[in-house]
Every structure is written in C-alpha cells, then in structure tokens.
Amino acid sequence: GQNIDQPTEMTATEGAIVQINCTYQTSGFNGLFWYQQHAGEAPTFLSYNVLDGLEEKGRFSSFLSRSKGYSYLLLKELQMKDSASYLCAVRDGDYKLSFGAGTTVTVRA
Amino acid sequence: GAVVSQHPSRVICKSGTSVKIECRSLDFQATTMFWYRQFPKQSLMLMATSNEGSKATYEQGVEKDKFLINHASLTLSTLTVTSAHPEDSSFYICSASLGDWEQFFGPGTRLTVL
C-alpha cells in the first residue's frame, strides 16, 4: 500500500508563493500526480512527475525526488481563485492512484 | 477532450433503497474506470477498478455485494449502492483512464441517505 503525507492547511497572501510538500512510502511507484480540488467538485489535473526533477507549467511547478520519496508543488503569483485543496497522489505498479488527505490552501487579499 | 460525466450530480434517498450512479467518458473510449469515495475533509479512497466486460476488482474493505459495478461498454460504468444507509452518504467520484496515462475525473455525485 501507499502512505502519503502532506500538510493539512496553508495560508498565503495574494501574489505570494506557496510550496506544498508531499512525502510518500510506496510498494511500487509509477508516477506522482498533483490535483486541485475545489469544495464539492472533482479533482482537476495539475502536474505529473515520474522522473526526478522539476516540471514547470505556468504558475505551477512540481518537483520529485524518488530516492527521498518526496515531492512538492509550487504555486507562484497566488490568486484568490487558487484557494482550494491540493491533492498529492501516487500511482503504483498496477496504475492505481492513492491520494494524500489534501492540503487546503487559503489565499488572503 | 477527455471529458467524463456523472449522473446524477446529487441524490437524496431513503434508507434501504438502492441508488445507481452512471459514469460516462464522452469523447474517448476508456480502457479502465475507477470508482472513489470521499468523506468530508478526507481524501479520495479507491473503491474499485473496472474494466469493460470483466468483473470489477474491489479494494480491501469494500463490500462487492453492496457496491455493484457494471462496466457495460468502453464509455459507461455504473455503480449501484444497494440498500443504502446513512453511513453510505458520501461524495462518489469516478474516473476514466485512456491507456496507462492519467485518469480523467467526473464531476462527482453527492449521495445523501436519510
């Protein structure tokens, strides 16, 4: 199985940068995903890492270190609409996703 | 592209009744569909994995006789919650996978059992 840990809550100011960390222990690894989820809605895909390093996608970047079982999602130039829950998910060798509990990010004006 | 729909979006039912939730991939043929459940302030928990034409594979602790999954075609999977009870009230989300790439999530179904 998978054990995925991420902080419960983070608060930041509009225009700032926030980094959400995720650590995992897996019984097989086939990629790490980050999703954004607004309350009452389904998750939407943000990023995918399968090799070590940084993947940049506009204001969002994601980093992976497989040897450390560690990833982070970096949100730059925060906007009010970025207030949401951010889910770290690990895909195992059977292509199943296991999700962390999510980090609720609150952006203040 | 890669749109997944769910119906209904919300359902309220009496305890003891059965509820069917549909999941459709609208613009692609999904090799695999997944069903998740999410309780308030908790993460998504995988319930079962479904492949077209074969029996669903259920995760440990999920009762296959209570949560019936039918994957009739490459674009449609249904989840039936049989004899629903208040503790089954949750947000049910399906996803569809195109090959071995990412999963595309449906908008979810909010089930409330009275």
Side-chain angles (χ1 to χ4, degrees):
Chain A
Q2 321 286 12
N3 187 15
I4 301 167
D5 290 312
Q6 52 182 126
T8 305
E9 294 180 326
M10 301 183 76
T11 302
T13 306
E14 197 173 13
I17 298 173
V18 71
Q19 178 175 314
I20 306 170
N21 296 322
C22 172
T23 58
Y24 62 89
Q25 295 173 314
T26 67
S27 58
F29 181 83
N30 204 350
L32 187 143
F33 293 79
W34 284 95
Y35 289 88
Q36 181 191 62
Q37 186 180 28
H38 286 98
E41 298 179 11
T44 55
F45 170 79
L46 289 179
S47 70
Y48 168 69
N49 295 72
V50 66
L51 299 177
D52 290 352
L54 186 68
E55 291 286 337
E56 297 188 82
K57 209 174 182 182
R59 294 189 298 115
F60 295 170
S61 303
S62 58
F63 172 83
L64 174 67
S65 170
R66 288 171 296 170
S67 62
K68 295 182 180 178
Y70 168 71
S71 173
Y72 68 72
L73 178 70
L74 197 68
L75 286 64
K76 303 179 216 175
E77 301 169 19
L78 278 174
Q79 302 174 9
M80 299 299 288
K81 66 178 182 180
D82 297 330
S83 292
S85 181
Y86 291 85
L87 309 177
C88 173
V90 175
R91 188 166 65 180
D92 65 18
D94 294 325
Y95 293 93
K96 294 180 186 177
L97 284 176
S98 294
F99 285 83
T103 299
T104 300
V105 171
T106 303
V107 181
R108 299 178 302 188
Chain B
V3 177
V4 177
S5 70
Q6 273 184 249
H7 178 79
S9 58
R10 291 178 178 271
V11 58
I12 301 173
C13 69
K14 293 182 179 179
S15 185
T17 60
S18 295
V19 175
K20 180 186 284 189
I21 303 169
E22 290 186 351
C23 176
R24 292 181 186 272
S25 56
L26 297 184
D27 51 2
F28 67 100
Q29 292 187 323
T31 53
T32 306
M33 288 185 170
F34 302 85
W35 286 96
Y36 295 85
R37 180 167 51 180
Q38 185 177 33
F39 292 106
K41 298 192 181 298
Q42 295 185 25
S43 192
L44 281 75
M45 296 298 296
L46 180 64
M47 298 175 68
T49 304
S50 170
N51 291 291
E52 186 263 341
S54 61
K55 289 184 179 180
T57 303
Y58 291 80
E59 295 301 299
Q60 194 171 8
V62 178
E63 300 173 57
K64 62 180 181 180
D65 294 330
K66 181 170 181 62
F67 299 100
L68 302 179
I69 292 173
N70 184 283
H71 196 153
S73 74
L74 285 171
T75 59
L76 173 64
S77 177
T78 60
L79 168 69
T80 301
V81 183
T82 62
S83 187
H85 288 94
E87 58 266 30
D88 298 323
S89 298
S90 188
F91 192 48
Y92 291 86
I93 304 174
C94 74
S95 71
S97 176
L98 181 60
D100 294 334
W101 186 224
E102 64 179 284
Q103 295 179 26
F104 300 95
F105 287 86
T109 297
R110 175 76 57 194
L111 170 64
T112 303
V113 184
L114 302 176

